[in-house]
Amino acid sequence: MGLFDRLSRVVRANINDLVSKAEDPEKVLEQAVIDMQEDLVQLRQAVARAIATQKRTEQQYNKNQSEANTWQQRAQLALSKGDENLAREALVRKKSFSDTATSLKTQLDQQSSQVTTLKRSLIALESKISEAKTKKDMLRARANAAKANKQLQDSMSSINTSSAMGAFERMEDKVMQLEAESETAAELGGTGIEQQFAALEAGSGVDDELAAMKAQLSGASPAQEALPASDSTTSTPQDAVIDAELDELRSQLDK
């Protein structure tokens, strides 16, 4: 293979590749339908011309056939009148018109066949155009759907999912940290309450001790049996003062 042949093939291949990449299905299909419609217009014009030619040929055939019949009758008339030369001349003209009519009849048959073929082609082309329009709409819808899907996929691929997931993980860590801090605060608050209850329990010990002191002052110990009551006649003024203080303490405790 020569250098120029190889270069020509490379150029054609590159051009074909560029054309293929530049092809838009919707535009190509639209142009194809337009081309078919232009062909349909030309075919209709051709059918119209063929029909017009057929009609002209038919008119000429009918005219020559009529002239041939007329000269046939004239020849008969001249022969019946005994004018053989005139009859011969009439037959010569009749033959001329007959030959022309025969030739025109052959053309008319050919033209009729051509018109029939063109009409069939016209009907077939109209059907193909209708089918092409339907297919064009279907393919255009598929192409639009494919474009939309491609745009969606491109948009999804452009999203940085790793960064987004990283953000979710960071926020989850922050939430867990806040939860831990909340639990710690709750635990610290619970310790304060326990200390308050411990203080109350310590206070109840003091109350018990105070009750024991009262029992001792009244002459009985909680851990010992009650002693015999002392004689009221032996009480002293000092005992009366103590009893008064105890009564005051009792009233304060009751309040």
Side-chain angles (χ1 to χ4, degrees), residues 127-143:
S127 177
K128 287 183 179 180
I129 290 176
S130 179
E131 182 181 356
K133 288 181 179 179
T134 302
K135 185 176 292 186
K136 180 197 70 173
D137 294 336
M138 294 175 59
L139 292 176
R140 180 170 58 185
R142 290 172 58 185

Side-chain angles (χ1 to χ4, degrees), residues 16 50 100 162 165 218 230:
N16 290 331
T100 303
S162 60
M165 294 305 298
S218 63
S230 60

Side-chain angles (χ1 to χ4, degrees), residues 51-65:
I51 292 175
T53 301
Q54 178 187 6
K55 288 182 177 180
R56 286 196 300 271
T57 302
E58 185 176 4
Q59 291 173 357
Q60 292 175 359
Y61 166 76
N62 292 332
K63 182 179 179 180
N64 282 272
Q65 188 66 34

Side-chain angles (χ1 to χ4, degrees), residues 91-237:
L91 289 177
V92 170
R93 293 194 177 185
K94 178 253 181 182
K95 184 178 184 304
S96 175
F97 284 110
S98 295
D99 292 342
T100 303
T102 301
S103 178
L104 291 173
K105 184 64 170 64
T106 302
Q107 294 181 13
L108 183 61
D109 293 339
Q110 293 177 353
Q111 290 172 357
S112 298
S113 178
Q114 291 177 355
V115 169
T116 301
T117 301
L118 289 173
K119 285 182 177 180
R120 290 176 180 175
S121 299
L122 180 62
I123 294 173
L125 183 57
E126 289 176 344
S127 177
K128 287 183 179 180
I129 290 176
S130 179
E131 182 181 356
K133 288 181 179 179
T134 302
K135 185 176 292 186
K136 180 197 70 173
D137 294 336
M138 294 175 59
L139 292 176
R140 180 170 58 185
R142 290 172 58 185
N144 292 334
K147 289 179 181 178
N149 187 35
K150 184 177 181 299
Q151 291 177 355
L152 178 60
Q153 295 299 328
D154 292 341
S155 298
M156 292 180 63
S157 62
S158 64
I159 297 175
N160 190 356
T161 56
S162 60
S163 177
M165 294 305 298
F168 276 102
E169 291 177 356
R170 291 194 304 273
M171 293 304 101
E172 185 177 4
D173 292 339
K174 287 184 177 294
V175 171
M176 293 176 65
Q177 180 65 28
L178 291 174
E179 291 175 347
E181 293 177 357
S182 176
E183 292 177 358
T184 302
E187 291 177 359
L188 292 175
T191 303
I193 295 174
E194 290 179 357
Q195 291 175 352
Q196 293 177 7
F197 277 107
L200 291 176
E201 292 174 355
S204 63
V206 173
D207 293 337
D208 294 339
E209 186 177 357
L210 180 60
M213 290 177 64
K214 289 178 181 179
Q216 290 176 0
L217 290 176
S218 63
S221 174
Q224 296 177 355
E225 294 182 356
L227 296 177
S230 60
D231 191 1
S232 58
T233 58
T234 59
S235 60
T236 63

